[in-house]
Amino acid sequence: MAHTVSALPSRTLSAEGRHWSIERAWPVKGDAEMLVVEVASVPDEYAKTADADPEDPGAAAGTDSRTSETSAGTHLPRRARRAGRFWVEERADLARPTEHLELFPAGTDPQLPALQDVSEGGIVIAHEPGQRAVVRHSIRGRNGRADSADETYTVVLPPGQASTLRAGMRHAQAFAGPFRLPRTVAEDDSTMTFQALPGVSLHRPERFGPSQWEQAWDQALDAWSTAIQHPGELPESTPVHDAAAEINRLQRWEEKTRPYIMGAELFQEAVDAACEALQKLPKGRLIPAHRHLRDEDLLWSAELGPALLKVSSAGWADPALDLGSLRACARWNEIRGLWDAEQRSVVTQLLNDTAYRNGVSAQALASYEHSALLRLSCQYTFSPSLADAAEHLRADLVQARQPH
């Protein structure tokens, strides 16, 4: 039976009389024809691009939700996110399927009732419908820029779920000291507000001087090594992410992505092979781990050193999990054109050195990196501006296990 591919949104769509770039999309459980989406408005000076031929992949002004730049690389001011629903209508009287975008009112989400008040006077910088939103508040000085001391970030969750975030922060206490961690300044049952941390993101090499790139990564990985060697006592509730947990996570992503990609059967075989490799790894020691570590989660300051973000996912894991994830991110950043080959090489070599010093086997590192790459290819399938790059990565991963 032929595999039918469900529709994903175009890079730009119209709603409320203007153009919106589709930043990210998420499948709705039980309904492959419906997606919830995060969008950002396309500025008027770029709107004409959105009116261009939709078959031209370079035409739409779609943006990466983390970079605030158009698909052509033009940097834009950080734009507020909104959320809504996407679906495709197919009727006999229509020449082609029609894409529909329906947005929630600005600063609202039916399942995040606290968002409306929290977003007042701030900017929603991330919004996963029904799950969480992040709102930035800042006081700008005369130069128009905000100092980190006057900037906060509020995570908005469904009612009663802030306790889960709070517990996750306690699981990350092993990283306190080697890293600067977010400091909570206010909280209630559905929100937590954090003081902004000074520093430059290790996601963005162009913001570093020629020698600083290597220095920043070296210091961040040294802090990681210190944290795992001296973890102290962690709460009994700290979750464990072993190979079985990684297999489960990878299989969930494959299942979620399957309806939306061509060659789903071959991709499933590649995922099965990766799961088998993880299953064969010898059981080793468990160390404190971020569990979702990416380069975006690392900051660096020449004066203050490294900082670690989004730590509420922390738990116990094989040391290859975090290092493999970062190595996968380095490859992905080169594929998507964010890093050049030399920048990736510097980071990969430092990661390899860190793995060697901490007794992480090459086999375990490669297995967790491969799993992370497969997951990245799934996740970015749902980001229209990066879906082509995700398809390229997915094809490489499938081809790598085919007989030659």
Side-chain angles (χ1 to χ4, degrees):
M1 184 176 177
H3 172 67
T4 302
V5 178
S6 297
L8 289 167
S10 300
R11 292 186 182 187
T12 56
L13 292 172
S14 296
E16 301 179 352
R18 66 179 308 167
H19 294 288
W20 303 87
S21 66
I22 311 300
E23 303 296 308
R24 297 182 291 174
W26 294 266
V28 174
K29 191 172 183 179
D31 187 355
E33 304 306 316
M34 174 74 73
L35 293 156
V36 290
V37 295
E38 176 193 68
V39 306
S41 63
V42 178
D44 291 340
E45 59 267 37
Y46 299 99
K48 62 181 180 180
T49 313
D51 288 325
D53 182 0
E55 298 300 319
D56 177 3
T63 65
D64 173 3
S65 61
R66 298 182 185 274
T67 61
S68 292
E69 63 179 30
T70 69
S71 57
T74 306
H75 286 272
L76 300 175
R78 186 75 191 204
R79 294 164 295 151
R81 269 41 176 173
R82 286 182 62 181
R85 302 180 183 90
F86 165 85
W87 71 96
V88 172
E89 181 183 15
E90 296 188 65
R91 297 203 321 253
D93 60 327
L94 295 175
R96 58 188 297 180
T98 302
E99 294 182 283
H100 292 278
L101 175 64
E102 178 184 78
L103 299 178
F104 305 149
T108 69
D109 185 317
Q111 294 175 275
L112 303 176
L115 179 59
Q116 186 165 5
D117 287 341
V118 172
S119 63
E120 194 72 30
I123 177 172
V124 180
I125 63 168
H127 190 168
E128 181 178 355
Q131 299 298 315
R132 63 192 292 147
V134 180
V135 181
R136 183 180 67 200
H137 287 87
S138 58
I139 301 173
R140 298 191 175 273
R142 293 182 179 179
N143 62 359
R145 302 181 67 88
D147 186 89
S148 58
D150 298 317
E151 192 167 69
T152 61
Y153 294 84
T154 300
V155 178
V156 183
L157 300 165
Q161 290 194 15
S163 59
T164 304
L165 187 61
R166 194 178 309 115
M169 299 290 292
R170 290 196 293 269
H171 300 153
Q173 63 191 33
F175 294 104
F179 289 98
R180 293 174 290 125
L181 300 184
R183 182 174 66 87
T184 306
V185 295
E187 60 182 285
D188 57 31
D189 79 317
S190 58
T191 70
M192 288 191 73
T193 300
F194 301 94
Q195 187 71 51
L197 287 168
V200 181
S201 172
L202 293 190
H203 186 56
R204 286 300 192 171
E206 74 277 6
R207 298 176 183 172
F208 291 84
S211 63
Q212 286 184 323
W213 179 243
E214 183 171 358
Q215 180 187 5
W217 273 98
D218 189 43
Q219 288 187 13
L221 292 173
D222 186 60
W224 181 88
S225 296
T226 300
I228 70 166
Q229 290 165 8
H230 307 285
E233 293 292 328
L234 298 183
E236 290 185 6
S237 60
T238 303
V240 174
H241 191 105
D242 55 13
E246 180 63 13
I247 289 169
N248 182 260
R249 178 163 66 168
L250 177 55
Q251 289 174 334
R252 289 200 312 270
W253 268 112
E254 184 278 324
E255 182 179 1
K256 185 182 298 185
T257 311
R258 192 184 308 159
Y260 302 94
I261 62 173
M262 298 293 292
E265 296 83 1
L266 290 175
F267 184 66
Q268 186 175 8
E269 291 175 7
V271 167
D272 289 344
C275 292
E276 186 178 349
L278 286 164
Q279 202 166 30
K280 289 180 178 178
L281 291 175
K283 290 186 178 180
R285 63 189 176 122
L286 297 176
I287 53 94
H290 185 286
R291 296 201 302 150
H292 293 280
L293 187 57
R294 298 189 180 183
D295 48 302
E296 295 103 316
D297 302 323
L298 294 165
L299 301 178
W300 181 78
S301 162
E303 297 78 23
L304 303 172
L308 187 62
L309 306 176
K310 302 178 186 174
V311 296
S312 61
S313 61
W316 296 105
D318 188 303
L321 175 65
D322 280 353
L323 296 180
S325 178
L326 288 174
R327 211 165 72 166
C329 287
R331 177 175 170 182
W332 168 242
N333 286 338
E334 184 182 6
I335 289 172
R336 64 188 281 194
L338 197 61
W339 294 8
D340 62 29
E342 183 179 354
Q343 289 158 348
R344 174 192 170 189
S345 177
V346 166
V347 173
T348 300
Q349 187 58 57
L350 288 171
L351 287 165
N352 293 344
D353 292 345
T354 302
Y356 179 79
R357 289 197 304 270
N358 286 282
V360 180
S361 74
Q363 180 186 11
L365 185 61
S367 295
Y368 276 98
E369 176 191 16
H370 191 63
S371 178
L373 286 167
L374 289 164
R375 287 189 284 104
L376 285 169
S377 78
C378 291
Q379 179 182 348
Y380 284 98
T381 293
F382 299 100
S383 293
S385 67
L386 291 169
D388 289 345
E391 184 177 6
H392 173 74
L393 172 60
R394 188 164 53 249
D396 281 353
L397 296 170
V398 168
Q399 184 65 28
R401 68 172 303 272
Q402 300 302 308
H404 296 284

